[in-house]
Amino acid sequence: MFVITLSYVADLDRIDEAMDDHREWVDGQFEDGVFVASGAMVPRTGGVILAAGLERPELEARLALDPFQQKGLAEYTIVEFAPRKVVPGLERLQA
């Protein structure tokens, strides 16, 4: 399980210009079953993604395809953790 934080390193005007492409990429990760949650930080300084079911090298390869990454609009921090307890319905997230 991974928690990925994206911190914007560009003006929001540039982020907004790339947002449709970023969201399309995010949708593809959900379709692949890799992302389990995502959304904007509050205040809007970046985003947070929860990912599961893959190894870190594959995650890093996928993140490299994010339009925000390719355009130098965001920096990424990846934290890996092993969930030991989850609410009913999220058992697939447990290590």
Side-chain angles (χ1 to χ4, degrees):
M1 178 93 199
F2 299 93
V3 177
I4 303 109
T5 58
L6 292 77
S7 298
Y8 298 148
V9 296
D11 293 334
L12 286 178
D13 290 343
R14 292 190 57 213
I15 298 298
D16 290 340
E17 289 172 5
M19 188 59 73
D20 287 344
D21 292 338
H22 170 73
R23 286 184 177 149
E24 183 177 328
W25 171 81
V26 167
D27 288 348
Q29 306 313 304
F30 274 98
E31 289 169 9
D32 287 349
V34 172
F35 287 1
V36 295
S38 68
M41 289 180 177
V42 178
R44 192 174 170 220
T45 58
V48 178
I49 299 168
L50 301 181
L54 73 171
E55 299 294 323
R56 188 179 181 121
E58 182 184 349
L59 174 62
E60 290 172 347
R62 287 173 178 265
L63 292 175
L65 299 176
D66 180 358
F68 283 177
Q69 172 78 351
Q70 293 179 335
K71 296 175 182 182
L73 302 176
E75 293 179 346
Y76 301 75
T77 301
I78 302 170
V79 176
E80 183 173 3
F81 77 105
R84 300 287 179 235
K85 188 171 184 175
V86 298
V87 298
L90 296 181
E91 293 84 3
R92 82 171 190 101
L93 303 179
Q94 288 179 293

